[in-house]
Amino acid sequence: TTYAITDVKTGAWRQVNSGIGCAAHRSIVETQSGTIFLSEDAGVCMTDGSNVYKIGENVDPLIRQAAENYSTALANACGTYRGDSYYLSIPTAAATNDLTLEYHLPTKSWWIHTFASNQFALLDPNTTPKLYMTHATDNKVLRALVPDVYADEDVAYASYWQGPFWPFGQPHINKRLTQIRMDGAGVWLLYLATTFEGSYELIDGID
């Protein structure tokens, strides 16, 4: 069950939702859009204090995998809010957190990261917030999501995207293309298929 505290001095509360509760207390994070948390049955949810909304349908398979295989370890899932994104580390292939899911609130899109944490902390010693995390399996603290660094724990990672250039949430539409636009940083390898069932061919490397 989800409750809202109405008086912090007395602990008075009111019920928000009787069917959705929280599976991991460290997943509860306040954002400018509402409070986000992980539910074992409903996945990632957001509440505005009056209602509870599911926002994690796109990552439900990963949440279900964690809930079915590592239900006890799911209580150790942890989250944080940085910039415009909510980050959630969960256990998917082992009994410890091994994957981090990112929910970008402005675009309502989900992204997957290969690093994982057992606890996040935002430190702001010089008015510039920096995100730190405890390593999920080793006894060490790391800085996460360092600007202009394209590696997880000093290991370079590969990213890919398939589909046409359309805003997030729009359907894929087949049409004739005269140009391709890419925005980003790093080293890009462009593969292009000129027919629907054709193989992808390397066009060129782009810096």
Side-chain angles (χ1 to χ4, degrees), residues 87-200:
Y87 296 90
L88 176 69
S89 282
I90 61 172
T92 61
T96 186
N97 295 338
D98 56 15
L99 200 68
T100 296
L101 309 176
E102 175 189 355
Y103 180 66
H104 187 241
L105 276 73
T107 58
K108 298 181 179 180
S109 60
W110 283 95
W111 303 83
I112 299 176
H113 299 275
T114 55
F115 70 86
S117 173
N118 278 336
Q119 182 64 57
F120 290 106
L122 277 170
L123 300 179
D124 189 11
N126 299 311
T127 69
T128 302
K130 297 177 177 62
L131 179 62
Y132 289 86
M133 66 179 222
T134 58
H135 195 277
T137 56
D138 296 334
N139 295 324
K140 58 184 178 181
V141 176
L142 303 170
R143 185 179 171 191
L145 303 173
V146 183
D148 300 321
V149 174
Y150 307 102
D152 284 343
E153 301 175 24
D154 297 326
V155 178
Y157 56 78
S159 300
Y160 69 91
W161 179 79
Q162 291 179 315
F165 179 72
W166 287 96
F168 289 106
Q170 297 297 311
H172 287 193
I173 299 176
N174 294 325
K175 61 182 298 182
R176 189 181 303 274
L177 297 175
T178 57
Q179 66 179 16
I180 298 174
R181 190 186 90 181
M182 295 182 296
D183 294 318
V187 178
W188 296 71
L189 294 177
L190 175 61
Y191 291 82
L192 182 66
T194 56
T195 62
F196 182 71
E197 295 182 349
S199 59
Y200 286 89

Side-chain angles (χ1 to χ4, degrees), residues 13-148:
W13 53 268
R14 59 178 171 80
Q15 183 174 284
V16 177
N17 187 290
S18 62
I20 298 178
C22 181
H25 69 278
R26 286 183 294 163
S27 70
I28 304 172
V29 176
E30 184 179 358
T31 75
Q32 83 276 16
S33 300
T35 299
I36 303 177
F37 62 94
L38 174 63
S39 169
E40 184 170 351
D41 298 326
V44 184
C45 298
M46 176 186 291
T47 179
D48 57 8
S50 299
N51 298 285
V52 177
Y53 308 94
K54 292 184 61 176
I55 62 172
E57 289 87 349
N58 290 342
V59 293
D60 273 350
L62 293 172
I63 302 297
R64 285 197 299 269
Q65 179 181 340
E68 291 171 0
N69 298 328
Y70 308 103
S71 58
T72 302
L74 193 64
N76 294 324
C78 65
T80 191
Y81 177 66
R82 177 178 181 267
D84 292 321
S85 291
Y86 169 75
Y87 296 90
L88 176 69
S89 282
I90 61 172
T92 61
T96 186
N97 295 338
D98 56 15
L99 200 68
T100 296
L101 309 176
E102 175 189 355
Y103 180 66
H104 187 241
L105 276 73
T107 58
K108 298 181 179 180
S109 60
W110 283 95
W111 303 83
I112 299 176
H113 299 275
T114 55
F115 70 86
S117 173
N118 278 336
Q119 182 64 57
F120 290 106
L122 277 170
L123 300 179
D124 189 11
N126 299 311
T127 69
T128 302
K130 297 177 177 62
L131 179 62
Y132 289 86
M133 66 179 222
T134 58
H135 195 277
T137 56
D138 296 334
N139 295 324
K140 58 184 178 181
V141 176
L142 303 170
R143 185 179 171 191
L145 303 173
V146 183
D148 300 321

